[in-house]
Amino acid sequence: MRTLVGLLTSNQALLQLEAARCLHELSHSEQSAVAEACLPATSYLLTYLSGHSSDFISPHVTVLEALGYALSQLLQAKEAPEKIIPSVLGSTLPQHMLQLLQPGPKLNFGVAVEFAWCLHYITCSQVNNALLITHGALSTLGLLLLDLAGAVQRTEDAGLELLACPVLRCLSNLLTEAAVGAVGEQMQLRDERVVAALFILLQFFLQKQPSLLPEGLWLLNNLTANSPSFCTSLLSLDLIEPLLQLLPVSNVVSVLVLTVLCNVAEKGPAYCQHLWPGPLLCSLLGTLAFSDTEVVGQSLELLQLLFLYRPEAAQAFLQQSGLQALERHEKEAQLQDRVHALQQTALHG
């Protein structure tokens, strides 16, 4: 390791490249002892990555990709939150990472994938996400999200999900940190563009990579949870029906779809007017037939909000055998209180 660090810090570009490749191979190891042996190289990796001008490192794409992968492995070490991530955040590396994720002709896909995963592991640690936000992470990743949505429309390349996944996760993690009122401002994007881009990616995942649907829906949940403007965008773009079409994919997807719809419904009567009349009630009668407790529980919560702000929907629910749909869950311990409450709301308002 001392030899590799020596080569990495030399002024010979080819030797640096070979040392980076060796670190790359070592970081692939399944043996924890090998990964731990790589830890002393971390500070040198940071110095190498943050100490050179972008003009110097731009020709060495292979070096950057290899070092990005090696760093992502180190960021997953159990010591990372205490020892490695604070060092990373204390260096100029976060700005360099975000620079490598700027959309445009200079964006290298392989390099972007590795450093997007690095950012993901940093944001997951919650060590100092506020710092990343001040460096413009929300804005950069938001623009990259738009760029990915555009790329999906232009090409059939299924490899795009390799970058989309860490970008979505980073944005989701950062949005849990960001001040509610400042999210849209910090992303420096119109709400509709972000929501439209996200739905383009959701449709792409549905066709090519359904396992990534929860990633996109979790971001949509975080966008709509405390933001009436993002909820307005969802409605103005007529995206409720496309959301409902995702319900049959899986229980996990169903819960997230229903959670997003609850975010919209809890904003009040004006929002619920867009949810009913419409296909929502029929879809909820369908999800009440699910055996998954979490799906049914989230359906009950959404119905409660809908009946609160749209009492007419309760009458339609009763006319469509809604009480019978509720009866099958009356004896389930986790649901019976909510079932009883909804029955009372539907019958008596």
Side-chain angles (χ1 to χ4, degrees):
M1 190 54 61
R2 283 195 294 272
T3 303
L4 285 176
V5 167
L7 294 173
L8 185 64
T9 55
S10 73
N11 58 2
Q12 300 290 318
L14 287 174
L15 288 177
Q16 288 177 318
L17 175 61
E18 293 306 321
R21 282 178 175 158
C22 288
L23 280 169
H24 179 237
E25 291 300 322
L26 286 169
S27 65
H28 269 285
S29 175
E30 293 177 1
Q31 295 185 21
S32 58
V34 178
E36 286 174 19
C38 292
L39 287 175
T42 306
S43 60
Y44 297 97
L45 282 174
L46 301 185
T47 302
Y48 176 74
L49 286 168
S50 60
H52 295 294
S53 72
S54 56
D55 290 336
F56 179 81
I57 61 174
S58 57
H60 301 293
V61 170
T62 312
V63 175
L64 276 176
E65 193 171 340
L67 290 180
Y69 183 86
L71 183 60
S72 74
Q73 298 304 295
L74 295 172
L75 290 169
Q76 295 175 73
K78 63 177 183 289
E79 305 91 342
E82 293 80 28
K83 297 180 181 177
I84 300 172
I85 291 173
S87 299
V88 172
L89 292 171
S91 72
T92 58
L93 188 54
Q95 293 99 307
H96 283 279
M97 284 185 185
L98 291 169
Q99 196 175 4
L100 292 169
L101 293 171
Q102 289 280 357
K106 290 186 178 180
L107 180 79
N108 178 275
F109 186 80
V111 171
V113 168
E114 298 305 341
F115 283 99
W117 280 111
C118 288
L119 267 182
H120 163 62
Y121 297 124
I122 293 170
T123 59
C124 276
S125 74
Q126 303 285 324
V127 169
N128 193 353
N129 284 349
L131 179 67
L132 291 172
I133 292 170
T134 62
H135 287 321
L138 279 173
S139 176
T140 298
L141 293 167
L143 288 168
L144 188 52
L145 186 77
L146 297 189
D147 199 57
L148 284 167
V152 162
Q153 292 179 304
R154 291 190 300 270
T155 178
E156 290 295 316
D157 182 13
L160 290 167
E161 75 275 0
L162 297 174
L163 182 54
C165 183
V167 168
L168 291 168
R169 288 186 182 184
C170 284
L171 280 168
S172 293
N173 288 330
L174 290 171
L175 285 172
T176 61
E177 184 80 31
V180 172
V183 168
E185 181 184 331
Q186 286 166 333
M187 291 185 86
Q188 297 175 358
L189 298 167
R190 294 199 311 276
D191 302 335
E192 286 196 357
R193 290 177 68 198
V194 178
V195 173
L198 194 44
F199 267 82
I200 290 168
L201 290 172
L202 287 173
Q203 290 301 315
F204 173 71
F205 296 153
L206 183 61
Q207 301 299 321
K208 303 282 185 180
Q209 198 80 29
S211 62
L212 288 182
L213 282 170
E215 307 292 351
L217 289 167
W218 183 245
L219 175 55
L220 188 60
N221 171 61
N222 286 356
L223 286 170
T224 55
N226 297 301
S227 172
S229 59
F230 279 111
C231 291
T232 300
S233 297
L234 201 63
L235 297 173
S236 63
L237 291 167
D238 289 326
L239 294 172
I240 298 301
E241 201 156 344
L243 255 186
L244 294 175
Q245 288 168 2
L246 299 177
L247 285 172
V249 174
S250 70
N251 289 336
V252 171
V253 167
S254 294
V255 169
L256 286 166
V257 167
L258 293 166
T259 304
V260 169
L261 291 169
C262 282
N263 292 342
V264 177
E266 69 183 8
K267 302 299 184 290
Y271 290 82
C272 286
Q273 283 179 358
H274 294 271
L275 298 179
W276 189 88
L280 177 61
L281 202 55
C282 183
S283 296
L284 289 174
L285 285 163
T287 56
L288 286 176
F290 282 33
S291 57
D292 185 82
T293 305
E294 206 174 346
V295 173
V296 175
Q298 205 64 33
S299 303
L300 296 173
E301 185 176 334
L302 181 52
L303 283 166
Q304 192 70 263
L305 287 165
L306 189 63
F307 296 169
L308 174 66
Y309 294 121
R310 295 286 283 166
E312 306 94 326
Q315 294 304 311
F317 179 75
L318 294 173
Q319 289 164 9
Q320 295 175 43
S321 305
L323 288 181
Q324 289 89 320
L326 293 177
E327 282 170 6
R328 63 175 294 178
H329 303 291
E330 282 179 326
K331 294 180 181 177
E332 293 176 45
Q334 292 174 276
L335 299 172
Q336 57 189 13
D337 288 346
R338 282 179 286 175
V339 167
H340 181 69
L342 191 62
Q343 286 169 334
Q344 293 304 306
T345 304
L347 289 168
H348 308 296

